[in-house]
Amino acid sequence: MYSSDEISYFNTIKTPFYYYKMEYFKNNLEKIKNAAGKYGYVVHYAMKANANDKLLGIIKDFGFGADCVSGNEVQKAIDLGFKPKEIAFAGVGKSDFEINLALDNDIFSFNCESIQELEIIDEFAAKKGKIAQIALRINPNVNANTHHYITTGLEENKFGINRWEFDKIIELLKSKKNIHLIGIHFHIGSQITDLDVFKNLCIRVNEIQKYFTENHILLEHINVGGGLGVDYEHPDKDDFPDFEAFFRLFDRFLELRSGQKLHFEIGRAMVAQAGDLITRVLFVKNGINTNFAIVDAGMTELIRPALYQAYHKIENITSKEGIDFYDVVGPICESSDTFGKTVQMTETKRGDLIAIRTIGAYGEVMASRYNLRDLAKSYYSDEIE
Ligand code: LLP
């Protein structure tokens, strides 16, 4: 998994740290670009998955757009050279400051989630003498079959505009002169591994499109969001996610009208497998059923196991001998600060390096300074001396 040069390098760095495998990362971007390019689909990178400058710069150079969910993300995308006309701005609660910032930069699209938001964007755009391009984020009521914290496309979720509000919105759009409807937007959830879920989304989008056609509204853009899951069990398998199958499915099942462009907002699947969290064992102690391997990374560096009971493969990359079971836990004063229970690893001792895999998405970017811990640094395979 790692070369001996990499492991020697790791031994010279202060742990914990994030480690990004740049060749893998670029290959992955190439695959996405080619698979989407076949159909002329537009891919925006969902910056929330990882806003690391170096990775973002590469994503921009590959020609992907940006999907932002805060004013700071919009600003960062612009600072790093993403074209404003390739920036979509989503989010259920955009502040006045964020709306004005996005208006000042003439972004591609505000993905709007409520009637009140439409009214406010229209009002602010009017004050600036601008016409804002907007897309309606529609709640399609499609079940993503994923963890309930990362399910977003059900009527019970806070996201999007529900079907029963459509007529009112169409009326509103007729009277508002400073917003221009360019499309509709969906995002049903994250870490979706069953492609049938996306098929269900396509079927729902087709139904919803009929409504707009019947109301003589031409939509230039359909944005189906992100959500494609990755294989956390097999971090070294590089044929998953299957981007070819993913985009092919939309080509087969989503009925685009002539001239319409289909957009995606891919976050996790672009970056997840490119990163690992490297941590060192501080102490090993015996528990009732297993041993505890207490490592120097905690939920402050990777919150996914604590927050979503997420699985990340854990490997001892120092020791090659023996086998035992460990609860791999961090130093934070919370019982949820556990990376994995009853993890089978080679015999583990103080000082060993442990790799927590597939943390490129929603790892570094969700870090916190809880317990006043320092933020962990990032290192890159192409910078190893
Ligand atoms: N578009 C919108 C509007 C979104 O809300 C999201 C993610 C994406 C795109 C990108 O979805 P992806 O391709 O990454 O699945 N922190 C959680 C995941 C939260 C996802 C939130 N929205 C986790 O660690 O699993």
Side-chain angles (χ1 to χ4, degrees):
M1 165 209 359
Y2 302 113
S3 67
S4 52
D5 281 352
E6 283 175 309
I7 295 187
S8 317
Y9 179 64
F10 292 171
N11 275 315
T12 65
I13 308 172
K14 180 176 177 288
T15 50
F17 59 88
Y18 303 103
Y19 182 63
Y20 294 105
K21 293 162 283 186
M22 303 310 284
E23 203 182 310
Y24 174 88
F25 176 54
K26 288 178 190 166
N27 284 339
N28 199 46
L29 296 183
E30 192 72 48
K31 280 189 204 163
I32 300 173
K33 193 176 169 175
N34 293 338
K38 265 191 206 165
Y39 307 103
Y41 295 161
V42 184
V43 177
H44 302 255
Y45 168 57
M47 242 171 104
K48 66 167 79 65
N50 190 323
N52 169 308
D53 281 7
K54 175 154 169 157
L55 303 189
L56 277 174
I58 294 169
I59 290 170
K60 191 246 339 177
D61 290 344
F62 264 81
F64 296 109
D67 162 47
C68 302
V69 284
S70 72
N72 288 349
E73 283 191 0
V74 171
Q75 187 63 58
K76 181 158 205 169
I78 290 168
D79 291 347
L80 288 176
F82 284 91
K83 295 189 194 82
K85 276 290 164 243
E86 292 172 359
I87 296 178
F89 181 19
V92 67
K94 301 177 185 75
S95 72
D96 295 7
F97 170 78
E98 292 174 319
I99 293 171
N100 280 317
L101 175 91
L103 284 171
D104 290 341
N105 285 289
D106 298 315
I107 61 160
F108 165 62
S109 165
F110 288 81
N111 295 339
C112 298
E113 308 216 10
S114 65
I115 293 182
Q116 202 164 35
E117 183 186 340
L118 291 168
E119 290 168 341
I120 292 296
I121 294 176
D122 178 70
E123 183 189 319
F124 288 10
K127 277 193 201 137
K128 293 180 189 289
K130 295 196 171 201
I131 297 175
Q133 300 203 142
I134 58 126
L136 301 175
R137 174 166 179 180
I138 293 173
N139 186 331
N141 201 23
V142 169
N143 195 342
N145 291 331
T146 184
H147 190 279
H148 58 284
Y149 280 11
I150 50 176
T151 291
T152 49
L154 290 177
E155 278 167 3
E156 69 205 49
N157 301 130
K158 68 179 173 181
F159 299 99
I161 292 167
N162 287 315
R163 187 81 188 234
W164 57 84
E165 289 176 314
F166 285 9
D167 290 345
K168 205 169 161 190
I169 287 187
I170 301 299
E171 274 316 298
L172 182 90
L173 287 173
K174 283 183 195 154
S175 66
K176 301 291 176 192
K177 300 289 169 246
N178 294 83
I179 46 179
H180 170 57
L181 178 69
I182 59 161
I184 49 177
H185 170 237
F186 304 83
H187 173 75
I188 53 173
S190 198
Q191 184 51 17
I192 298 167
T193 48
D194 173 5
L195 286 187
D196 274 350
V197 167
F198 292 110
K199 183 174 158 191
N200 294 340
L201 173 64
C202 290
I203 294 166
R204 197 59 59 88
V205 174
N206 295 341
E207 281 167 28
I208 291 170
Q209 279 243 66
K210 278 200 195 107
Y211 170 91
F212 285 91
T213 312
E214 279 160 19
N215 282 278
H216 313 290
I217 293 172
L218 194 75
L219 301 166
E220 293 162 68
H221 302 277
I222 307 292
N223 181 338
V224 286
L228 180 61
V230 302
D231 186 351
Y232 283 95
E233 311 270 337
H234 306 101
D236 295 310
K237 207 168 127 194
D238 67 359
D239 57 350
F240 191 98
D242 185 343
F243 296 111
E244 294 282 339
F246 177 67
F247 291 114
R248 195 182 320 121
L249 181 138
F250 285 90
D251 179 57
R252 275 187 68 195
F253 296 105
L254 201 142
E255 294 159 12
L256 285 182
R257 307 282 190 268
S258 94
Q260 262 181 351
K261 278 236 167 277
L262 185 59
H263 298 246
F264 293 81
E265 298 168 343
I266 298 184
R268 187 188 313 266
M270 262 202 209
V271 288
Q273 282 147 308
D276 293 334
L277 173 62
I278 311 293
T279 177
R280 202 176 280 284
V281 178
L282 296 173
F283 305 109
V284 178
K285 72 172 180 182
N286 296 119
I288 298 180
N289 300 315
T290 57
N291 310 298
F292 288 104
I294 303 160
V295 299
D296 62 4
M299 62 200 284
T300 40
E301 285 71 46
L302 177 68
I303 201 171
R304 303 194 68 256
L307 192 56
Y308 317 111
Q309 299 79 48
Y311 172 82
H312 287 264
K313 191 165 186 187
I314 303 176
E315 291 163 289
N316 185 324
I317 56 174
T318 305
S319 144
K320 305 268 178 283
E321 310 282 300
I323 206 98
D324 213 336
F325 292 92
Y326 300 88
D327 281 8
V328 180
V329 301
I332 311 292
C333 307
E334 305 258 355
S335 292
S336 60
D337 186 32
T338 297
F339 290 117
K341 282 190 176 294
T342 334
V343 179
Q344 186 179 317
M345 287 198 297
T346 45
E347 227 157 84
T348 297
K349 57 183 185 320
R350 172 173 163 81
D352 285 356
L353 286 174
I354 303 284
I356 304 177
R357 311 291 310 274
T358 325
I359 59 76
Y362 308 109
E364 180 180 355
V365 82
M366 292 181 83
S368 82
R369 292 213 50 214
Y370 185 39
N371 289 189
L372 284 190
R373 284 164 61 81
D374 292 329
L375 290 176
K377 289 194 178 156
S378 298
Y379 296 87
Y380 308 89
S381 61
D382 61 357
E383 290 178 14
I384 292 185
E385 298 98 39

